[in-house]
Amino acid sequence: MLLPKQFHFLFFLFFLVLNVFAQDKGKAMPFKKIITDIEKQHEVSFNYTEDNVAGLKLIPPKKSFSLEEKLQYLAEKTHLSFENIGNKFINIYKKENESQIICGYVFSSADKKPVENANINLSDKTQVTTNSNGYFEFSENNAVVFFVSHVGFVTRKIAAVNPESKDCLQIILEPEITILKEIKANAILASGISKNKDGSFEIKPKKFGILPGLIEPDALQTMQQIPGVNSIDESVSSINVRGGTHDQNLFLWNGIRMFQTGHFFGLISAFNPNLAHTISIYKNGSSAFYGESVSSVVAISSTPETAEKNSYSAGINMINADIYAKYNLSKKSYIEISARKSITDFVETPTYKEYFNKVFQNTTITDFSDKQNVDYKSDKKFGFYDATLKYAQKIGNRDQIVLDLITIKDNLEVFQSATVYDINKSENNILRQQNYGGNLAWKRNWNSFNTTKVNIYNSAYKLLGNQSTSAGQIVIQENSVNNNGVNLENNHIITSKFTFNNGYQFNEIGITNLEDVTNPDFFRKVKEVLRTHALILEGKYNDTISRIYFKAGTRINYIERFKKFIAEPRIQFSYGFSKSLNLELLGELKSQNSQQIIDLQKDYFGIEKRRWIISNNAAIPIQKSRQLSLNLSYVKNDWLFDIENFYKKVAGITTSSQGFQNQLEFVKTTGDYEVWGAEMLVQKKMNHFLTWLSYTYNHNNYHFTNYEYPVFPNNFEVMHTASWAGIYEKNNFKIALGTKWTSGRPKTSPNTALINPSNPTLVYNRPNNTNLHIFSQVNFSSTYKWETDNGIQYKLGISILNILNRKNEINEYYRITTLTNSIEEVETFSLQRTPNLSFRVSF
């Protein structure tokens, strides 16, 4: 056992040795304390100014060093020089005109290993490189700010914050992952239209050339030129993609679901054609981030991919006038506005008259005049407008916020009166259709590999019909939709070839249907709400060297009301056998909870008679679709050959959603439709001339197992469609001529053998047992653009639809007329020859 005095001595000795070891091994001390110790040990005196040594700290030299060794040590470790005068006085000066050495090590963030042969680019145009240890050094005189670069890494700008520090810099380089832009095929159908590797068609309105009958890049008119896309009644509010109904398509404007897509009750698009930057159209194989549709997806974006300068424009045609302005508030923010309004308040052009006659034929408005023979008077007011607002703000280098607002409205007021046998009869009809929407989006670039997008949106739609008669009856019908949602999307770049995306979506939709009738009194109001949650997972592999593109994902929906999960897998595969020959496989399963139905053909005056409803998972099922397509394309020497075979089945449809005007008009049952077919396109470009020929075949049948005729042709079946166009573009002059030919849509004929002429009652043959006559139309359009010396651009356009003025029948049904107590054949025809002129100024 140690004695206390011995213990104290050992403890003191241990502490002393530890203290000396610590001084020798690296504990930094104030410079003034170090030179004070040297003064005591070597009996010298230091002379210095306080500014030269203030705040300076370093590891002291070993006590065993001689005086000269200590002074040399201090000179190497500081920015000071020491003058020894006779080993008695030592003057301390700050080093003048002596550059410091800046050193550093460069490492990779991926594996933490040194990066050899990295280039250190200095401001004086000189360059040094790193050695095998990643080490470099250069004189402070060369640069304090420099760039570090290496092939395969992101270049970094480095500022030596404290160039006088003796510690070498530790520089981490991030690997540079370059996602190669998709190589798109040459222009398809027209300049500004291309096809992506994921099978989607992309339209760039600002680069759009010209198509027959179009002088503006109307998104919904343009998409009807794509094989497989059609409209059986020439309406953008009735677009049929591979045999589907219009409501089965998902229309998005800057992330907002739009329930109204047309002005003039479907004759022109509700989306300003001079505003959009990108329009993406998916017939099949859409991303898992798109839900609530069993047919196509049309996504319209007005957000530019790159910064643009201020721009302003105004235009007018024979239907409407519009203005557009984009103004940069700062380098990081801008505002964009557009507005469009019909000119029918001021003038009724020949174009307007043709449109009006087309829209209102065989409606209750024209029925009123048809049934009267004397003193008929009519006063009508019709107009529409749309407006948009965008505000974009970048916050720092990583964040961006974008606000989008849109409003669309159509308004029709018609007062009709007539005197029959000294009795005055009158009707006052009001029809309003409107859609408002807003979207607030936030995008965050966490780094070069990870991005997050969040958006909150709302869309409100209303269709209102109000009819009052001189007999005192008032009929009010209203269909309103309120759609809210939140989307979260995360994008992760794993390698230059592989990306992974995941996200979550919440959607709430509420639909109200109201009917209020007086004399006799009747009132009904039904409101239903449905909330869904969706989890999305999606991966993409894109190897441009081996020409393999593969994208697969799934969307898992959960419907709160039904406590039901629905999985929706999606697949896109593309393989290039060579630079010219490419194979593409697309597939998807999708579902939809809302749809449009027709209760009565005379609802809303027979003009916009469809109303939105929500699935109840019983009499109105959730619609589910499955689709598969195989495409083969060959591109060489400005030739394009493209053929695509497809199969599509949609289950859960109702007879009310299909627009029957035969024996099924009042039958309520559910079923499905099944369509298969082929789409072909041959295109050739020769200098400034482009010509193409397309053909589509589809075989489309209904399956209603509970009906007496369980299988019969679909109302929207157009078995054969052929289109041709010749387009010439040179400099600022463009001209296009084209024709479209289709076999007639199905119709149901009455069985005349079973009709009693004295007491006629409609007895039909098998549903859709025959077809309408062939539809054929020739269209023309041309534009010319010129620019003045002060940078103002002018554009003049002319188009003629149905040049040959062919009378094409687009619908036919039968009814019993009370005037003659007989069966009447009611025919609806397409537009007659319809000219249009446009003029636009841009600067």
Side-chain angles (χ1 to χ4, degrees):
M1 181 176 179
L2 295 174
L3 298 175
K5 288 184 178 180
Q6 292 173 312
F7 177 80
H8 291 163
F9 173 76
L10 290 175
F11 180 81
F12 174 77
L13 182 62
F14 174 78
F15 180 80
L16 180 63
V17 172
L18 185 63
N19 186 54
V20 172
F21 181 81
Q23 288 192 15
D24 286 345
K25 290 298 180 180
K27 185 176 181 180
M29 297 175 59
F31 180 83
K32 292 175 66 175
K33 177 67 171 59
I34 294 173
I35 61 176
T36 299
D37 291 342
I38 295 175
E39 285 178 334
K40 291 179 180 179
Q41 183 180 356
H42 296 280
E43 297 181 347
V44 295
S45 178
F46 286 90
N47 300 314
Y48 56 90
T49 61
E50 190 69 22
D51 292 340
N52 289 342
V53 299
L56 188 60
K57 287 185 177 183
L58 69 156
I59 299 171
K62 294 181 180 180
K63 287 186 177 294
S64 59
F65 282 1
S66 65
L67 177 62
E68 287 300 320
E69 288 175 334
K70 290 178 179 177
L71 295 180
Q72 183 180 356
Y73 174 88
L74 295 176
E76 291 175 353
K77 298 296 183 181
T78 66
H79 59 287
L80 304 173
S81 61
F82 299 83
E83 182 183 11
N84 188 353
I85 304 174
N87 288 333
K88 289 293 183 182
F89 302 97
I90 300 174
N91 297 328
I92 301 176
Y93 304 98
K94 190 172 184 178
K95 293 179 181 178
E96 298 293 339
N97 301 322
E98 185 175 341
S99 61
Q100 300 292 319
I101 296 298
I102 296 177
C103 61
Y105 292 89
V106 180
F107 300 96
S108 167
S109 67
D111 54 15
K112 310 303 179 186
K113 292 182 179 180
V115 179
E116 187 178 1
N117 293 323
N119 296 317
I120 314 300
N121 300 294
L122 310 177
S123 56
D124 62 356
K125 305 293 179 67
T126 60
Q127 185 182 83
V128 296
T129 58
T130 57
N131 61 19
S132 59
N133 296 320
Y135 176 80
F136 70 90
E137 65 176 34
F138 59 86
S139 172
E140 179 193 349
N141 288 341
N142 294 108
V144 177
V145 177
F146 56 95
F147 293 87
V148 183
S149 63
H150 191 282
V151 175
F153 292 90
V154 178
T155 300
R156 284 194 62 185
K157 180 180 180 181
I158 305 295
V161 179
N162 183 15
E164 296 176 353
S165 172
K166 297 302 177 182
D167 297 330
C168 291
L169 300 170
Q170 302 287 319
I171 299 171
I172 306 297
L173 293 185
E174 299 283 347
E176 182 177 38
I177 298 179
T178 303
I179 301 298
L180 298 176
K181 291 186 176 180
E182 294 181 5
I183 300 175
K184 301 174 183 177
N186 296 330
I188 295 179
L189 305 175
S191 56
I193 306 177
S194 58
K195 188 177 182 182
N196 295 324
K197 279 193 173 181
D198 61 3
S200 67
F201 287 84
E202 185 176 276
I203 303 172
K204 296 283 189 181
K206 293 192 174 182
K207 298 179 181 179
F208 180 76
I210 195 170
L211 282 169
L214 295 180
I215 48 180
E216 293 179 325
D218 187 306
L220 306 188
Q221 293 284 4
T222 301
M223 72 178 288
Q224 294 180 45
Q225 304 290 335
I226 298 173
V229 183
N230 204 355
S231 175
I232 59 172
D233 62 359
E234 289 188 313
S235 167
V236 297
S237 293
S238 183
I239 292 178
N240 317 113
V241 180
R242 291 178 173 170
T245 55
H246 183 79
D247 60 300
Q248 293 174 346
N249 303 313
L250 175 64
F251 295 93
L252 296 173
W253 185 87
N254 288 318
I256 307 166
R257 184 182 179 187
M258 302 304 296
F259 297 89
Q260 178 182 350
T261 58
H263 280 313
F264 220 131
F265 304 104
L267 285 182
I268 63 174
S269 170
F271 310 114
N272 192 326
N274 302 294
L275 182 65
H277 288 271
T278 304
I279 303 165
S280 299
I281 301 168
Y282 298 83
K283 293 189 291 183
N284 186 18
S286 57
S287 166
F289 283 90
Y290 294 123
E292 196 57 28
S293 75
V294 291
S295 196
S296 74
V297 175
V298 180
I300 303 172
S301 172
S302 64
T303 303
E305 296 176 352
T306 57
E308 296 182 345
K309 62 182 181 179
N310 296 339
S311 60
Y312 312 91
S313 66
I316 189 171
N317 57 38
M318 297 177 73
I319 293 294
N320 58 260
D322 76 281
I323 59 171
Y324 167 82
K326 191 255 183 181
Y327 179 72
N328 293 313
L329 301 173
S330 66
K331 290 184 178 180
K332 292 190 175 183
S333 64
Y334 69 88
I335 188 170
E336 183 180 64
I337 61 172
S338 74
R340 182 170 55 155
K341 191 180 187 309
S342 60
I343 60 174
T344 53
D345 294 339
F346 313 102
V347 61
E348 291 188 1
T349 64
T351 307
Y352 167 76
K353 291 178 181 177
E354 289 296 336
Y355 279 17
F356 189 91
N357 292 336
K358 159 70 170 59
V359 170
F360 298 110
Q361 58 182 318
N362 301 323
T363 65
T364 59
I365 292 174
T366 52
D367 283 350
F368 184 92
S369 62
D370 291 342
K371 294 176 182 178
Q372 316 304 324
N373 298 315
V374 293
D375 296 332
Y376 168 74
K377 295 180 181 179
S378 177
D379 181 23
K380 58 183 180 293
K381 292 181 181 179
F382 172 74
F384 64 82
Y385 70 81
D386 60 72
T388 67
L389 169 68
K390 177 188 289 290
Y391 172 74
Q393 173 72 60
K394 285 188 176 181
I395 304 173
N397 296 323
R398 297 181 181 272
D399 299 274
Q400 184 181 34
I401 294 177
V402 179
L403 173 67
D404 285 293
L405 301 173
I406 185 171
T407 177
I408 300 168
K409 187 173 183 179
D410 282 59
N411 188 72
L412 171 69
E413 296 181 16
V414 179
F415 177 76
Q416 299 169 303
S417 64
T419 302
V420 183
Y421 304 116
D422 298 324
I423 299 175
N424 292 322
K425 294 183 179 180
S426 66
E427 284 185 1
N428 190 34
N429 303 294
I430 298 174
L431 184 62
R432 293 193 180 99
Q433 188 180 25
Q434 57 194 32
N435 202 156
Y436 306 109
N439 182 59
L440 180 62
W442 168 65
K443 181 180 179 181
R444 168 77 173 182
N445 295 318
W446 300 101
N447 49 44
S448 301
F449 317 105
N450 300 283
T451 302
T452 294
K453 302 174 187 176
V454 179
N455 69 291
I456 304 171
Y457 64 89
N458 170 263
S459 182
Y461 167 82
K462 179 182 284 188
L463 177 64
L464 173 67
N466 189 325
Q467 183 181 53
S468 59
T469 68
S470 55
Q473 186 181 58
I474 299 175
V475 179
I476 299 174
Q477 294 178 306
E478 183 179 306
N479 176 225
S480 60
V481 181
N482 193 38
N483 183 218
N484 308 290
V486 179
N487 295 335
L488 168 66
E489 180 179 348
N490 296 305
N491 309 118
H492 312 283
I493 301 174
I494 310 302
T495 68
S496 59
K497 298 177 182 179
F498 181 69
T499 60
F500 175 73
N501 306 321
N502 63 291
Y504 164 80
Q505 294 178 356
F506 169 75
N507 181 271
E508 179 187 72
I509 184 170
I511 297 181
T512 303
N513 279 289
L514 178 146
E515 290 177 281
D516 189 1
V517 182
T518 62
N519 194 23
D521 293 342
F522 174 79
F523 180 83
R524 180 177 64 180
K525 182 177 182 180
V526 179
K527 181 177 181 179
E528 294 184 288
V529 178
L530 207 62
R531 298 181 182 90
T532 59
H533 305 264
L535 178 66
I536 300 106
L537 301 172
E538 193 172 69
K540 181 177 73 174
Y541 177 83
N542 185 15
D543 188 346
T544 56
I545 303 301
S546 60
R547 295 186 288 271
I548 295 176
Y549 177 93
F550 180 72
K551 185 176 182 180
T554 187
R555 178 187 183 91
I556 302 173
N557 298 315
Y558 176 71
I559 307 172
E560 285 187 4
R561 181 176 170 183
F562 310 137
K563 295 181 173 58
K564 186 181 183 69
F565 287 95
I566 300 176
E568 301 180 7
R570 318 283 173 87
I571 186 173
Q572 304 162 5
F573 173 76
S574 174
Y575 175 69
F577 295 100
S578 66
K579 291 183 179 180
S580 302
L581 186 63
N582 188 76
L583 178 72
E584 175 187 86
L585 175 69
L586 303 175
E588 64 181 18
L589 267 66
K590 297 201 292 186
S591 65
Q592 184 172 335
N593 299 311
S594 58
Q595 60 181 284
Q596 284 183 309
I597 65 167
I598 299 174
D599 276 347
L600 298 172
Q601 289 291 333
K602 297 300 183 181
D603 283 350
Y604 299 98
F605 319 133
I607 300 171
E608 181 53 86
K609 48 201 172 188
R610 297 166 299 177
R611 63 179 74 198
W612 287 95
I613 61 169
I614 289 179
S615 168
N616 58 18
N617 204 29
I620 307 171
I622 299 171
Q623 296 185 72
K624 297 179 181 179
S625 70
R626 59 181 65 184
Q627 187 175 182
L628 190 69
S629 61
L630 185 66
N631 175 277
L632 189 67
S633 63
Y634 180 80
V635 181
K636 192 171 184 178
N637 298 329
D638 292 325
W639 277 98
L640 167 64
F641 298 91
D642 187 277
I643 181 168
E644 184 165 353
N645 297 297
F646 66 90
Y647 169 81
K648 176 181 176 183
K649 183 176 181 179
V650 178
I653 65 170
T654 64
T655 48
S656 300
S657 67
Q658 301 300 301
F660 285 106
Q661 291 179 289
N662 54 16
Q663 63 264 54
L664 282 101
E665 182 174 350
F666 303 106
V667 174
K668 307 295 182 183
T669 188
T670 62
D672 63 65
Y673 70 82
E674 191 174 35
V675 55
W676 56 270
E679 299 158 356
M680 290 169 277
L681 175 66
V682 178
Q683 178 179 291
K684 173 63 176 176
K685 190 176 187 306
M686 298 170 286
N687 296 323
H688 303 288
F689 183 72
L690 175 72
T691 184
W692 52 263
L693 175 67
S694 70
Y695 170 75
T696 300
Y697 171 83
N698 77 71
H699 183 80
N700 192 349
N701 278 337
Y702 286 125
H703 297 87
F704 293 109
T705 56
N706 296 325
Y707 184 62
E708 61 177 317
Y709 301 108
V711 181
F712 56 91
N714 192 306
N715 291 341
F716 303 97
E717 179 189 67
V718 180
M719 187 167 286
H720 305 281
T721 302
S723 298
W724 169 84
I727 302 169
Y728 180 81
E729 298 183 21
K730 186 174 183 181
N731 300 328
N732 294 321
F733 176 71
K734 301 173 184 178
I735 188 170
L737 179 70
T739 183
K740 188 171 188 178
W741 177 94
T742 68
S743 56
R745 64 179 293 194
K747 72 168 185 176
T748 305
S749 63
N751 190 334
T752 55
L754 300 176
I755 295 175
N756 183 358
S758 60
N759 185 23
T761 302
L762 277 173
V763 179
Y764 288 99
N765 288 307
R766 189 183 183 94
N768 293 340
N769 64 311
T770 184
N771 294 81
L772 298 179
H773 297 297
I774 289 171
F775 177 99
S776 178
Q777 191 178 81
V778 179
N779 302 317
F780 164 83
S781 58
S782 180
T783 63
Y784 179 71
K785 183 170 64 176
W786 69 98
E787 185 173 344
T788 61
D789 294 336
N790 56 5
I792 300 177
Q793 291 185 350
Y794 299 91
K795 183 179 179 181
L796 182 66
I798 181 173
S799 69
I800 303 175
L801 295 173
N802 196 6
I803 294 176
L804 304 180
N805 204 28
R806 178 181 169 89
K807 195 173 184 179
N808 289 302
E809 186 183 14
I810 57 176
N811 191 30
E812 181 180 310
Y813 65 96
Y814 298 87
R815 66 186 179 188
I816 297 175
T817 174
T818 57
L819 292 177
T820 59
N821 194 32
S822 61
I823 295 177
E824 178 185 20
E825 183 181 63
V826 182
E827 298 172 305
T828 303
F829 295 96
S830 67
L831 282 169
Q832 297 295 293
R833 184 186 296 119
T834 306
N836 198 2
L837 287 171
S838 70
F839 179 70
R840 188 160 203 86
V841 181
S842 305
F843 55 95

